[in-house]
Amino acid sequence: MAMSQQARDEKRRAKAARLQEEDLRLKVRPGTKQALLELMEWAGIEEQGEAMTLMIHHLHGLGPGGALPLLEPPRHEITVSPAVARKLENFRAREALRLSCDQD
């Protein structure tokens, strides 16, 4: 006789408790999702959870020296062109002059 849905659910919950499984939720933007899908395609992996589990374990296997550089968030370098720097300096000077005139 086939198990009822309730029995299957209870069996699944018991197994998850025995293995100390925990749900991790992750919200991602389209670029991150696309990157994950491409990684899965390259590796021939069909399930996102499996891909993420493998990535975590392989990254951990690199140890601190190998893993930490890969865990640094990308930083955008902001460079101000000379023309923009001049405009900012002119604005700062005008504001300083305006404030000094207002105080008189």
Side-chain angles (χ1 to χ4, degrees):
M1 181 171 144
M3 288 181 14
S4 68
Q5 183 63 46
Q6 183 179 4
R8 282 194 299 276
D9 289 344
E10 183 56 41
K11 184 178 177 182
R12 180 184 45 77
R13 281 192 290 274
K15 181 180 177 184
R18 185 178 77 251
L19 297 174
Q20 297 179 332
E21 289 179 340
E22 182 178 339
D23 280 335
L24 298 179
R25 297 191 183 268
L26 176 66
K27 290 185 180 190
V28 297
R29 293 186 177 177
T32 303
K33 174 72 178 214
Q34 183 61 39
L36 176 61
L37 292 174
E38 288 176 9
L39 288 167
M40 291 168 58
E41 184 180 329
W42 298 342
I45 297 172
E46 294 182 8
E47 297 202 16
Q48 294 177 18
E50 179 184 5
M52 293 172 61
T53 298
L54 288 169
M55 286 187 279
I56 290 168
H57 285 286
H58 287 303
L59 188 60
H60 184 265
L62 295 174
L68 289 178
L70 299 172
L71 292 172
E72 292 177 5
R75 299 290 180 211
H76 300 288
E77 186 175 317
I78 298 173
T79 56
V80 178
S81 70
V84 171
R86 276 191 309 276
K87 287 181 182 181
L88 288 171
E89 181 57 31
N90 289 339
F91 176 78
R92 186 200 61 77
R94 278 193 313 272
E95 284 296 302
L97 184 60
R98 185 181 65 80
L99 289 175
S100 68
C101 288
D102 286 347
Q103 291 177 354
D104 290 341

